[in-house]
Amino acid sequence: MNIKSLQNHNSEWHPNIWPPFTQIKTSKPQIEVTHGKDSLIFTKNPKRTLIDGISSWWVTLHGHSNEYIAEAISKQAKELEQIIFADFLHPQAKLLSERLSRVTNLERLFFSDNGSSAVEVALKIAYQWWQNNGELRNQIIAFEGAYHGDTFGAMALGERNIFNESFEKLMFPVKRVSWPSTWIGDNEVEIKEENALKELIELLKEPTAAVIMEPILQGAGGMNMVRPEFIRRAYEIIKSNNSLLIADEVLTGFGRCGSLFAFQKANIEPDLIAISKGLTGGFLPMGITLSKERIFESFVSENPRNTFWHGHSFTANPLGCAAANASLDLLEQNPFKYSQFELKHYALIEKLQSLSCVKKIRICGTIFAFELEVNNNSGYLNLIGKRIKSEAMKKGLFIRPLGNIIYLLPPLCITDDQLEKSYDILFEIIKNFTN
């Protein structure tokens, strides 16, 4: 279908824009947004205002157009908007590095532009670290159902599926361990955990460069949650086998799981951490890979081969750093906003629990999720998700289900009334679907 025929097919699609994760042929056109404020999205249609139930792809941490962060960016823009970070340093990057190092206990920060890049950097550092120390290790271990990004290295780490099958022959092999997902009322969680840990022990018999995991929660893989004690036991096994641990905190960081970082709930200390999304409060794209000092030290050498040859044009962009520092200010000023958020979810799940098609309810920090059983088809391509999304938007709630997995992941600023309304909308839609 050429441009003209596409425009004739549906004139509401913009003729020059290629939207992400979207099949134009079977999807509804994008909705033009005029502005956002706190938990609300205002569209070109004055009658359509939406509660942002997923924080605009999980990035809008404190809500839209937060004045404190906006002011910090504005102030910084008048002083320094960009500088080459290979040769120059600036105050915002210094401050942000010191603060994030302090709260994670990882001493070194490498800046990049997004979550996929932050993961890619962690992977490259881990792989090269062994070479710098005179050992070549090729095995990488990830978990089934994982998603780590869409660049080639990050893509290889993730679950192989329809999203990346076209590139299968170009991706390096990765060994996988079961992810023992759990939910309210799960009586088999301990058996699943034991089986997964046995798999991990067996794979680690081969010298392994790194194990990567999304601590506590797999996001794009289906909002699949595990217990902190499983993460702790896996960590102990990984450490006892002398492998590096990469924590992908791109989604889970900055309070999303109830602690500032998800790895802290399990009381572990990764060797490398990838962060993005909520890092700047959703204002600007930025990624960071945090590293233990002992890893960094192997890259400091007279031998140029030991150098980490990686970089991005906008590395440590001053505006992004200013936004990140302002976002950290807000998190530090009121940690109860994220540490107590899951109590709000638990207070509202009763009506949904009464519906027979609502299965595997799980809650972690700001995140609520469940599986909808209305046919025999599960997974991302289940069309029920699109139907639920469409009906929810008609009622004033924006969500983006992962197939038959419905979830809420709202900004920290959402009001109690807005959150309750979100639950009521989901209940009414699903109740009508199943009648």
Side-chain angles (χ1 to χ4, degrees):
M1 183 180 288
N2 59 35
I3 290 292
K4 285 190 176 180
S5 61
L6 178 59
Q7 287 176 300
N8 292 334
H9 174 70
N10 195 326
S11 60
E12 294 181 70
W13 283 103
H14 193 283
N16 307 115
I17 291 175
W18 192 335
F21 283 99
T22 301
Q23 174 48 257
I24 299 275
K25 184 75 173 178
T26 58
S27 300
K28 293 183 178 179
Q30 295 164 297
I31 297 167
E32 187 167 344
V33 172
T34 58
H35 61 291
K37 185 60 183 172
D38 297 331
S39 295
L40 297 178
I41 301 169
F42 297 88
T43 73
K44 195 172 181 180
N45 179 352
K47 295 181 180 179
R48 174 175 274 186
T49 299
L50 303 168
I51 297 171
D52 190 347
I54 63 164
S55 301
S56 289
W57 247 342
W58 320 339
V59 302
T60 306
L61 190 62
H62 307 283
H64 295 281
S65 305
N66 181 278
E67 293 181 6
Y68 183 78
I69 300 177
E71 179 59 32
I73 294 171
S74 175
K75 183 175 182 295
Q76 180 60 45
K78 297 171 184 175
E79 298 173 355
L80 179 67
E81 82 300 338
Q82 168 63 8
I83 193 71
I84 177 172
F85 203 61
D87 297 279
F88 298 100
L89 188 60
H90 57 84
Q92 291 287 356
K94 287 172 59 179
L95 177 60
L96 182 59
S97 298
E98 291 159 6
R99 296 174 77 177
L100 288 175
S101 177
R102 186 167 59 249
V103 297
T104 62
N105 205 31
L106 273 70
E107 297 89 347
R108 294 287 174 170
L109 280 74
F110 192 97
F111 289 81
S112 57
D113 293 350
N114 54 65
S116 295
S117 296
V119 168
E120 197 97 10
V121 167
L123 180 64
K124 289 176 67 175
I125 288 174
Y127 191 77
Q128 186 178 338
W129 182 75
W130 290 102
Q131 295 179 61
N132 286 357
N133 285 283
E135 184 176 353
L136 179 61
R137 293 194 177 194
N138 291 321
Q139 179 164 279
I140 305 291
I141 297 176
F143 284 82
E144 292 179 2
Y147 170 83
H148 294 290
D150 295 319
T151 54
F152 267 94
M155 187 167 56
L157 296 170
E159 183 81 1
R160 305 296 167 86
N161 50 36
I162 190 173
F163 298 106
N164 52 44
E165 64 184 13
S166 298
F167 313 104
E168 176 70 32
K169 293 181 179 180
L170 299 177
M171 292 191 284
F172 56 81
V174 174
K175 298 293 179 64
R176 302 192 188 278
V177 176
S178 300
W179 184 254
S181 303
T182 190
W183 49 85
I184 296 172
D186 179 13
N187 296 319
E188 299 181 353
V189 60
E190 292 182 359
I191 296 173
K192 291 184 291 186
E193 289 176 352
E194 289 300 327
N195 290 336
L197 293 172
K198 288 177 183 177
E199 293 172 17
L200 180 61
I201 291 170
E202 188 63 28
L203 287 177
L204 283 169
K205 288 180 179 178
E206 179 178 336
T208 300
V211 180
I212 184 168
M213 67 167 67
E214 300 159 87
I216 308 294
L217 169 81
Q218 288 183 340
M223 296 297 162
N224 295 317
M225 303 174 188
V226 295
R227 301 192 303 175
E229 44 263 55
F230 169 74
I231 299 296
R232 177 68 197 180
R233 292 181 66 191
Y235 168 76
E236 291 170 350
I237 292 168
I238 293 163
K239 290 292 98 184
S240 67
N241 283 271
N242 192 32
S243 297
L244 298 180
L245 174 62
I246 301 171
D248 178 352
E249 294 254 13
V250 170
L251 164 59
T252 57
F254 303 101
R256 282 302 185 191
C257 290
S259 53
L260 189 58
F261 292 95
F263 76 85
Q264 294 166 335
K265 291 189 87 167
N267 192 28
I268 67 172
E269 193 166 284
D271 300 289
L272 295 150
I273 303 172
I275 57 176
S276 188
K277 289 197 181 292
L279 171 61
T280 66
F283 273 73
L284 290 165
M286 176 174 280
I288 293 175
T289 305
L290 296 102
S291 165
K292 297 296 291 182
E293 182 72 12
R294 68 184 181 88
I295 295 175
F296 168 79
E297 287 172 354
S298 78
F299 291 83
V300 181
S301 171
E302 297 288 343
N303 186 349
R305 293 181 181 276
N306 284 30
T307 305
F308 186 56
W309 299 110
H310 188 104
H312 299 261
S313 299
F314 287 92
T315 293
N317 173 257
L319 303 180
C321 290
N325 277 313
S327 179
L328 277 177
D329 289 345
L330 296 175
L331 290 169
E332 290 174 357
Q333 289 165 13
N334 197 347
F336 294 105
K337 276 196 170 183
Y338 62 83
S339 65
Q340 302 299 311
F341 197 102
E342 68 180 37
L343 298 177
K344 298 181 179 183
H345 283 310
Y346 277 108
L348 294 169
I349 64 174
E350 185 175 356
K351 287 199 296 183
L352 281 168
Q353 279 181 311
S354 70
L355 298 176
S356 60
C357 62
V358 173
K359 307 290 185 180
K360 299 182 179 179
I361 290 178
R362 55 259 197 195
I363 294 171
C364 181
T366 65
I367 303 153
F368 162 72
F370 62 89
E371 294 182 21
L372 192 58
E373 285 190 3
V374 293
N375 54 44
N376 294 323
N377 182 21
S378 62
Y380 192 88
L381 296 181
N382 189 325
L383 295 179
I384 190 65
K386 282 194 172 185
R387 293 175 62 194
I388 297 291
K389 173 185 175 183
S390 178
E391 291 300 313
M393 291 181 72
K394 291 176 185 177
K395 296 178 181 293
L397 171 66
F398 174 66
I399 55 174
R400 192 178 170 92
L402 301 163
N404 68 316
I405 296 165
I406 317 299
Y407 70 94
L408 292 173
L409 201 165
L412 294 173
C413 67
I414 192 170
T415 67
D416 291 345
D417 287 345
Q418 288 169 342
L419 187 60
E420 185 173 4
K421 181 180 178 181
S422 300
Y423 271 85
D424 288 341
I425 289 172
L426 289 179
F427 175 77
E428 290 300 321
I429 293 170
I430 295 168
K431 181 184 69 173
N432 291 335
F433 266 52
T434 55
N435 282 345

Short mmCIF file of all heavy atoms in Angstrom, two decimals, residues 177-231:
data_model
loop_
_atom_site.label_atom_id
_atom_site.label_comp_id
_atom_site.label_asym_id
_atom_site.label_seq_id
_atom_site.Cartn_x
_atom_site.Cartn_y
_atom_site.Cartn_z
N VAL A 177 16.84 -19.27 31.78
CA VAL A 177 16.35 -19.89 33.01
C VAL A 177 14.88 -19.53 33.16
O VAL A 177 14.46 -18.41 32.81
CB VAL A 177 17.15 -19.38 34.23
CG1 VAL A 177 16.59 -19.95 35.53
CG2 VAL A 177 18.62 -19.74 34.09
N SER A 178 14.10 -20.45 33.69
CA SER A 178 12.67 -20.17 33.92
C SER A 178 12.50 -19.00 34.88
O SER A 178 13.30 -18.80 35.80
CB SER A 178 11.99 -21.41 34.51
OG SER A 178 12.09 -22.51 33.64
N TRP A 179 11.44 -18.23 34.65
CA TRP A 179 11.09 -17.10 35.52
C TRP A 179 9.86 -17.52 36.32
O TRP A 179 8.76 -17.62 35.78
CB TRP A 179 10.80 -15.87 34.68
CG TRP A 179 10.52 -14.60 35.43
CD1 TRP A 179 9.30 -14.00 35.59
CD2 TRP A 179 11.47 -13.75 36.09
NE1 TRP A 179 9.43 -12.83 36.30
CE2 TRP A 179 10.76 -12.65 36.62
CE3 TRP A 179 12.85 -13.82 36.28
CZ2 TRP A 179 11.37 -11.64 37.34
CZ3 TRP A 179 13.47 -12.79 36.98
CH2 TRP A 179 12.74 -11.72 37.50
N PRO A 180 10.00 -17.79 37.62
CA PRO A 180 8.90 -18.34 38.42
C PRO A 180 7.85 -17.30 38.82
O PRO A 180 7.72 -16.93 39.99
CB PRO A 180 9.61 -18.93 39.64
CG PRO A 180 10.82 -18.06 39.80
CD PRO A 180 11.25 -17.68 38.41
N SER A 181 7.11 -16.84 37.83
CA SER A 181 6.10 -15.81 38.06
C SER A 181 5.11 -16.25 39.14
O SER A 181 4.73 -17.42 39.23
CB SER A 181 5.31 -15.53 36.78
OG SER A 181 6.19 -15.15 35.74
N THR A 182 4.68 -15.28 39.93
CA THR A 182 3.73 -15.59 40.99
C THR A 182 2.66 -14.51 41.07
O THR A 182 2.75 -13.47 40.44
CB THR A 182 4.46 -15.77 42.34
OG1 THR A 182 3.53 -16.30 43.31
CG2 THR A 182 5.03 -14.44 42.84
N TRP A 183 1.63 -14.80 41.87
CA TRP A 183 0.47 -13.92 41.98
C TRP A 183 -0.24 -14.21 43.29
O TRP A 183 0.12 -15.14 44.02
CB TRP A 183 -0.47 -14.16 40.79
CG TRP A 183 -0.75 -15.62 40.55
CD1 TRP A 183 -1.71 -16.39 41.16
CD2 TRP A 183 -0.03 -16.49 39.67
NE1 TRP A 183 -1.64 -17.68 40.72
CE2 TRP A 183 -0.62 -17.78 39.79
CE3 TRP A 183 1.04 -16.31 38.79
CZ2 TRP A 183 -0.17 -18.88 39.07
CZ3 TRP A 183 1.48 -17.40 38.07
CH2 TRP A 183 0.88 -18.68 38.20
N ILE A 184 -1.25 -13.42 43.60
CA ILE A 184 -2.02 -13.62 44.82
C ILE A 184 -2.69 -15.00 44.77
O ILE A 184 -3.39 -15.32 43.82
CB ILE A 184 -3.06 -12.51 45.00
CG1 ILE A 184 -2.37 -11.15 45.18
CG2 ILE A 184 -3.98 -12.80 46.19
CD1 ILE A 184 -3.32 -9.96 45.17
N GLY A 185 -2.46 -15.80 45.80
CA GLY A 185 -3.08 -17.12 45.85
C GLY A 185 -2.32 -18.21 45.12
O GLY A 185 -2.85 -19.32 44.94
N ASP A 186 -1.09 -17.95 44.72
CA ASP A 186 -0.29 -18.95 44.01
C ASP A 186 0.29 -19.96 45.02
O ASP A 186 1.11 -19.61 45.86
CB ASP A 186 0.84 -18.24 43.25
CG ASP A 186 1.75 -19.20 42.50
OD1 ASP A 186 1.37 -20.37 42.36
OD2 ASP A 186 2.82 -18.76 42.05
N ASN A 187 -0.14 -21.21 44.93
CA ASN A 187 0.29 -22.24 45.87
C ASN A 187 1.51 -23.03 45.39
O ASN A 187 2.01 -23.88 46.12
CB ASN A 187 -0.86 -23.22 46.14
CG ASN A 187 -2.03 -22.54 46.82
OD1 ASN A 187 -1.85 -21.72 47.72
ND2 ASN A 187 -3.25 -22.88 46.40
N GLU A 188 1.96 -22.75 44.18
CA GLU A 188 3.06 -23.53 43.61
C GLU A 188 4.34 -22.72 43.46
O GLU A 188 5.28 -23.17 42.81
CB GLU A 188 2.63 -24.09 42.25
CG GLU A 188 1.44 -25.03 42.34
CD GLU A 188 1.05 -25.59 40.99
OE1 GLU A 188 1.63 -25.15 39.96
OE2 GLU A 188 0.18 -26.47 40.95
N VAL A 189 4.38 -21.55 44.06
CA VAL A 189 5.50 -20.65 43.83
C VAL A 189 6.82 -21.26 44.28
O VAL A 189 7.85 -21.12 43.60
CB VAL A 189 5.26 -19.28 44.51
CG1 VAL A 189 5.08 -19.42 46.02
CG2 VAL A 189 6.40 -18.32 44.19
N GLU A 190 6.83 -21.95 45.40
CA GLU A 190 8.09 -22.50 45.91
C GLU A 190 8.63 -23.59 44.99
O GLU A 190 9.85 -23.68 44.77
CB GLU A 190 7.89 -23.02 47.33
CG GLU A 190 7.64 -21.91 48.34
CD GLU A 190 7.49 -22.42 49.75
OE1 GLU A 190 7.59 -23.66 49.95
OE2 GLU A 190 7.29 -21.60 50.66
N ILE A 191 7.75 -24.42 44.43
CA ILE A 191 8.18 -25.46 43.50
C ILE A 191 8.77 -24.83 42.25
O ILE A 191 9.83 -25.26 41.74
CB ILE A 191 6.98 -26.36 43.13
CG1 ILE A 191 6.48 -27.10 44.37
CG2 ILE A 191 7.37 -27.33 42.02
CD1 ILE A 191 5.21 -27.88 44.13
N LYS A 192 8.12 -23.79 41.73
CA LYS A 192 8.61 -23.10 40.53
C LYS A 192 9.97 -22.47 40.79
O LYS A 192 10.87 -22.52 39.93
CB LYS A 192 7.60 -22.04 40.08
CG LYS A 192 6.30 -22.61 39.54
CD LYS A 192 5.37 -21.54 39.01
CE LYS A 192 4.81 -20.68 40.11
NZ LYS A 192 3.78 -19.73 39.63
N GLU A 193 10.12 -21.89 41.95
CA GLU A 193 11.40 -21.27 42.29
C GLU A 193 12.53 -22.30 42.37
O GLU A 193 13.64 -22.07 41.87
CB GLU A 193 11.27 -20.50 43.60
CG GLU A 193 10.44 -19.24 43.50
CD GLU A 193 10.24 -18.54 44.83
OE1 GLU A 193 10.62 -19.11 45.88
OE2 GLU A 193 9.69 -17.42 44.83
N GLU A 194 12.25 -23.42 43.01
CA GLU A 194 13.27 -24.47 43.15
C GLU A 194 13.70 -24.98 41.78
O GLU A 194 14.90 -25.19 41.53
CB GLU A 194 12.73 -25.61 44.01
CG GLU A 194 12.59 -25.28 45.48
CD GLU A 194 13.89 -24.88 46.14
OE1 GLU A 194 14.96 -25.41 45.75
OE2 GLU A 194 13.85 -24.03 47.06
N ASN A 195 12.74 -25.18 40.90
CA ASN A 195 13.07 -25.67 39.55
C ASN A 195 13.93 -24.66 38.79
O ASN A 195 14.89 -25.02 38.10
CB ASN A 195 11.80 -25.97 38.78
CG ASN A 195 11.07 -27.19 39.29
OD1 ASN A 195 11.68 -28.07 39.92
ND2 ASN A 195 9.78 -27.28 39.05
N ALA A 196 13.57 -23.37 38.92
CA ALA A 196 14.35 -22.33 38.24
C ALA A 196 15.76 -22.25 38.78
O ALA A 196 16.74 -22.11 38.01
CB ALA A 196 13.64 -20.98 38.39
N LEU A 197 15.91 -22.37 40.08
CA LEU A 197 17.25 -22.29 40.68
C LEU A 197 18.10 -23.49 40.28
O LEU A 197 19.31 -23.36 40.07
CB LEU A 197 17.12 -22.20 42.21
CG LEU A 197 16.49 -20.90 42.73
CD1 LEU A 197 16.22 -20.99 44.22
CD2 LEU A 197 17.36 -19.69 42.42
N LYS A 198 17.48 -24.65 40.14
CA LYS A 198 18.21 -25.82 39.66
C LYS A 198 18.71 -25.59 38.23
O LYS A 198 19.84 -25.97 37.89
CB LYS A 198 17.31 -27.06 39.71
CG LYS A 198 17.05 -27.57 41.13
CD LYS A 198 16.10 -28.76 41.10
CE LYS A 198 15.77 -29.24 42.52
NZ LYS A 198 14.77 -30.35 42.50
N GLU A 199 17.88 -24.99 37.40
CA GLU A 199 18.28 -24.68 36.03
C GLU A 199 19.47 -23.72 36.03
O GLU A 199 20.42 -23.88 35.26
CB GLU A 199 17.12 -24.05 35.26
CG GLU A 199 15.95 -24.99 35.01
CD GLU A 199 14.76 -24.25 34.41
OE1 GLU A 199 14.95 -23.11 33.91
OE2 GLU A 199 13.64 -24.79 34.46
N LEU A 200 19.40 -22.72 36.90
CA LEU A 200 20.47 -21.73 36.97
C LEU A 200 21.78 -22.37 37.42
O LEU A 200 22.85 -22.11 36.83
CB LEU A 200 20.07 -20.62 37.95
CG LEU A 200 21.08 -19.48 38.17
CD1 LEU A 200 21.36 -18.74 36.86
CD2 LEU A 200 20.57 -18.50 39.23
N ILE A 201 21.72 -23.22 38.42
CA ILE A 201 22.92 -23.92 38.91
C ILE A 201 23.54 -24.75 37.80
O ILE A 201 24.77 -24.76 37.62
CB ILE A 201 22.56 -24.80 40.13
CG1 ILE A 201 22.21 -23.92 41.34
CG2 ILE A 201 23.70 -25.75 40.46
CD1 ILE A 201 21.60 -24.68 42.50
N GLU A 202 22.71 -25.45 37.04
CA GLU A 202 23.21 -26.29 35.97
C GLU A 202 23.90 -25.47 34.87
O GLU A 202 25.00 -25.83 34.41
CB GLU A 202 22.05 -27.10 35.37
CG GLU A 202 22.46 -28.15 34.37
CD GLU A 202 23.33 -29.25 34.97
OE1 GLU A 202 23.21 -29.52 36.20
OE2 GLU A 202 24.15 -29.82 34.23
N LEU A 203 23.28 -24.37 34.48
CA LEU A 203 23.87 -23.53 33.43
C LEU A 203 25.18 -22.88 33.88
O LEU A 203 26.10 -22.71 33.08
CB LEU A 203 22.87 -22.45 33.00
CG LEU A 203 21.69 -22.92 32.17
CD1 LEU A 203 20.74 -21.76 31.88
CD2 LEU A 203 22.16 -23.55 30.85
N LEU A 204 25.26 -22.54 35.15
CA LEU A 204 26.45 -21.86 35.64
C LEU A 204 27.65 -22.79 35.82
O LEU A 204 28.74 -22.33 36.19
CB LEU A 204 26.13 -21.15 36.97
CG LEU A 204 25.34 -19.84 36.83
CD1 LEU A 204 24.84 -19.36 38.18
CD2 LEU A 204 26.18 -18.76 36.16
N LYS A 205 27.46 -24.07 35.54
CA LYS A 205 28.61 -24.97 35.53
C LYS A 205 29.58 -24.59 34.41
O LYS A 205 30.77 -24.90 34.49
CB LYS A 205 28.14 -26.41 35.37
CG LYS A 205 27.45 -26.96 36.61
CD LYS A 205 26.99 -28.40 36.40
CE LYS A 205 26.31 -28.93 37.67
NZ LYS A 205 25.82 -30.33 37.48
N GLU A 206 29.05 -23.94 33.38
CA GLU A 206 29.92 -23.38 32.34
C GLU A 206 30.28 -21.95 32.74
O GLU A 206 29.39 -21.17 33.10
CB GLU A 206 29.20 -23.37 31.00
CG GLU A 206 30.06 -22.78 29.87
CD GLU A 206 29.37 -22.81 28.52
OE1 GLU A 206 28.47 -23.65 28.32
OE2 GLU A 206 29.72 -21.98 27.66
N PRO A 207 31.57 -21.60 32.70
CA PRO A 207 31.96 -20.23 33.06
C PRO A 207 31.13 -19.20 32.30
O PRO A 207 31.02 -19.26 31.07
CB PRO A 207 33.44 -20.17 32.66
CG PRO A 207 33.89 -21.59 32.78
CD PRO A 207 32.73 -22.43 32.34
N THR A 208 30.54 -18.28 33.02
CA THR A 208 29.54 -17.37 32.47
C THR A 208 29.99 -15.92 32.63
O THR A 208 30.39 -15.51 33.72
CB THR A 208 28.18 -17.59 33.17
OG1 THR A 208 27.76 -18.94 32.95
CG2 THR A 208 27.13 -16.64 32.64
N ALA A 209 29.91 -15.17 31.55
CA ALA A 209 30.31 -13.76 31.62
C ALA A 209 29.35 -12.97 32.50
O ALA A 209 29.78 -12.21 33.37
CB ALA A 209 30.34 -13.17 30.21
N ALA A 210 28.04 -13.15 32.28
CA ALA A 210 27.07 -12.37 33.04
C ALA A 210 25.70 -13.03 33.00
O ALA A 210 25.34 -13.70 32.05
CB ALA A 210 26.98 -10.95 32.49
N VAL A 211 24.97 -12.78 34.07
CA VAL A 211 23.55 -13.12 34.14
C VAL A 211 22.80 -11.80 34.21
O VAL A 211 23.18 -10.90 34.97
CB VAL A 211 23.22 -13.97 35.38
CG1 VAL A 211 21.73 -14.29 35.43
CG2 VAL A 211 24.05 -15.24 35.40
N ILE A 212 21.76 -11.66 33.40
CA ILE A 212 20.97 -10.42 33.41
C ILE A 212 19.55 -10.73 33.84
O ILE A 212 18.97 -11.75 33.44
CB ILE A 212 20.98 -9.71 32.04
CG1 ILE A 212 20.23 -8.37 32.13
CG2 ILE A 212 20.43 -10.59 30.93
CD1 ILE A 212 20.43 -7.46 30.94
N MET A 213 18.99 -9.88 34.66
CA MET A 213 17.60 -10.03 35.10
C MET A 213 16.95 -8.67 35.31
O MET A 213 17.63 -7.66 35.56
CB MET A 213 17.53 -10.83 36.40
CG MET A 213 18.13 -10.11 37.59
SD MET A 213 17.72 -10.88 39.18
CE MET A 213 18.57 -12.45 39.07
N GLU A 214 15.63 -8.66 35.20
CA GLU A 214 14.83 -7.53 35.63
C GLU A 214 14.40 -7.84 37.06
O GLU A 214 13.55 -8.71 37.28
CB GLU A 214 13.61 -7.38 34.73
CG GLU A 214 13.94 -7.14 33.26
CD GLU A 214 12.79 -7.49 32.34
OE1 GLU A 214 11.92 -6.63 32.10
OE2 GLU A 214 12.75 -8.66 31.86
N PRO A 215 14.97 -7.19 38.06
CA PRO A 215 14.69 -7.59 39.44
C PRO A 215 13.20 -7.45 39.79
O PRO A 215 12.58 -6.42 39.51
CB PRO A 215 15.53 -6.61 40.27
CG PRO A 215 16.55 -6.08 39.33
CD PRO A 215 15.90 -6.07 37.98
N ILE A 216 12.63 -8.50 40.36
CA ILE A 216 11.26 -8.53 40.87
C ILE A 216 10.20 -8.58 39.77
O ILE A 216 9.24 -9.33 39.85
CB ILE A 216 10.95 -7.33 41.80
CG1 ILE A 216 12.02 -7.22 42.90
CG2 ILE A 216 9.56 -7.43 42.39
CD1 ILE A 216 12.02 -8.37 43.86
N LEU A 217 10.37 -7.78 38.70
CA LEU A 217 9.29 -7.61 37.73
C LEU A 217 9.81 -7.62 36.29
O LEU A 217 10.70 -6.85 35.95
CB LEU A 217 8.58 -6.27 37.99
CG LEU A 217 7.61 -5.79 36.91
CD1 LEU A 217 6.27 -6.50 37.07
CD2 LEU A 217 7.43 -4.29 36.98
N GLN A 218 9.24 -8.48 35.47
CA GLN A 218 9.43 -8.40 34.02
C GLN A 218 8.31 -7.53 33.46
O GLN A 218 7.14 -7.87 33.60
CB GLN A 218 9.38 -9.79 33.39
CG GLN A 218 10.59 -10.64 33.68
CD GLN A 218 10.53 -11.99 32.95
OE1 GLN A 218 9.47 -12.42 32.53
NE2 GLN A 218 11.68 -12.62 32.81
N GLY A 219 8.67 -6.43 32.81
CA GLY A 219 7.67 -5.48 32.35
C GLY A 219 7.00 -5.89 31.06
O GLY A 219 5.90 -6.43 31.05
N ALA A 220 7.66 -5.63 29.94
CA ALA A 220 7.07 -5.92 28.63
C ALA A 220 6.79 -7.40 28.44
O ALA A 220 5.96 -7.78 27.63
CB ALA A 220 7.99 -5.42 27.52
N GLY A 221 7.46 -8.25 29.20
CA GLY A 221 7.23 -9.68 29.12
C GLY A 221 5.89 -10.11 29.70
O GLY A 221 5.54 -11.28 29.61
N GLY A 222 5.16 -9.18 30.31
CA GLY A 222 3.84 -9.51 30.83
C GLY A 222 3.59 -9.09 32.25
O GLY A 222 2.69 -9.64 32.91
N MET A 223 4.34 -8.12 32.77
CA MET A 223 4.20 -7.69 34.16
C MET A 223 4.26 -8.92 35.09
O MET A 223 3.45 -9.08 36.01
CB MET A 223 2.89 -6.92 34.38
CG MET A 223 2.84 -5.61 33.61
SD MET A 223 4.14 -4.45 34.14
CE MET A 223 4.18 -3.31 32.75
N ASN A 224 5.25 -9.78 34.82
CA ASN A 224 5.42 -11.01 35.58
C ASN A 224 6.31 -10.76 36.79
O ASN A 224 7.45 -10.32 36.66
CB ASN A 224 6.04 -12.09 34.69
CG ASN A 224 5.12 -12.50 33.57
OD1 ASN A 224 3.93 -12.67 33.78
ND2 ASN A 224 5.67 -12.65 32.37
N MET A 225 5.77 -11.05 37.97
CA MET A 225 6.44 -10.73 39.22
C MET A 225 6.96 -11.98 39.91
O MET A 225 6.34 -13.05 39.84
CB MET A 225 5.48 -10.00 40.14
CG MET A 225 4.89 -8.74 39.54
SD MET A 225 3.62 -7.98 40.58
CE MET A 225 3.01 -6.70 39.44
N VAL A 226 8.10 -11.86 40.57
CA VAL A 226 8.64 -12.94 41.40
C VAL A 226 8.86 -12.40 42.81
O VAL A 226 8.88 -11.19 43.03
CB VAL A 226 9.96 -13.51 40.84
CG1 VAL A 226 9.73 -14.18 39.49
CG2 VAL A 226 11.04 -12.43 40.73
N ARG A 227 9.05 -13.31 43.74
CA ARG A 227 9.26 -12.91 45.13
C ARG A 227 10.69 -12.41 45.33
O ARG A 227 11.64 -12.93 44.72
CB ARG A 227 8.99 -14.08 46.07
CG ARG A 227 7.59 -14.64 45.97
CD ARG A 227 7.29 -15.58 47.11
NE ARG A 227 8.24 -16.70 47.20
CZ ARG A 227 8.23 -17.60 48.18
NH1 ARG A 227 7.31 -17.53 49.14
NH2 ARG A 227 9.12 -18.59 48.20
N PRO A 228 10.89 -11.44 46.22
CA PRO A 228 12.25 -10.97 46.51
C PRO A 228 13.17 -12.09 46.96
O PRO A 228 14.37 -12.08 46.64
CB PRO A 228 12.03 -9.94 47.62
CG PRO A 228 10.64 -9.46 47.41
CD PRO A 228 9.87 -10.64 46.92
N GLU A 229 12.63 -13.08 47.68
CA GLU A 229 13.49 -14.16 48.16
C GLU A 229 14.04 -15.01 47.02
O GLU A 229 15.14 -15.56 47.13
CB GLU A 229 12.76 -15.04 49.18
CG GLU A 229 11.36 -15.42 48.81
CD GLU A 229 10.31 -14.52 49.45
OE1 GLU A 229 10.39 -13.27 49.27
OE2 GLU A 229 9.41 -15.06 50.13
N PHE A 230 13.31 -15.11 45.92
CA PHE A 230 13.86 -15.81 44.76
C PHE A 230 15.04 -15.05 44.18
O PHE A 230 16.07 -15.64 43.83
CB PHE A 230 12.79 -16.00 43.68
CG PHE A 230 13.36 -16.49 42.37
CD1 PHE A 230 13.77 -17.80 42.22
CD2 PHE A 230 13.53 -15.61 41.30
CE1 PHE A 230 14.33 -18.25 41.03
CE2 PHE A 230 14.08 -16.06 40.10
CZ PHE A 230 14.49 -17.38 39.97
N ILE A 231 14.89 -13.74 44.05
CA ILE A 231 15.98 -12.91 43.53
C ILE A 231 17.20 -13.04 44.42
O ILE A 231 18.34 -13.16 43.94
CB ILE A 231 15.54 -11.43 43.42
CG1 ILE A 231 14.37 -11.27 42.45
CG2 ILE A 231 16.71 -10.55 43.01
CD1 ILE A 231 14.68 -11.64 41.02
#
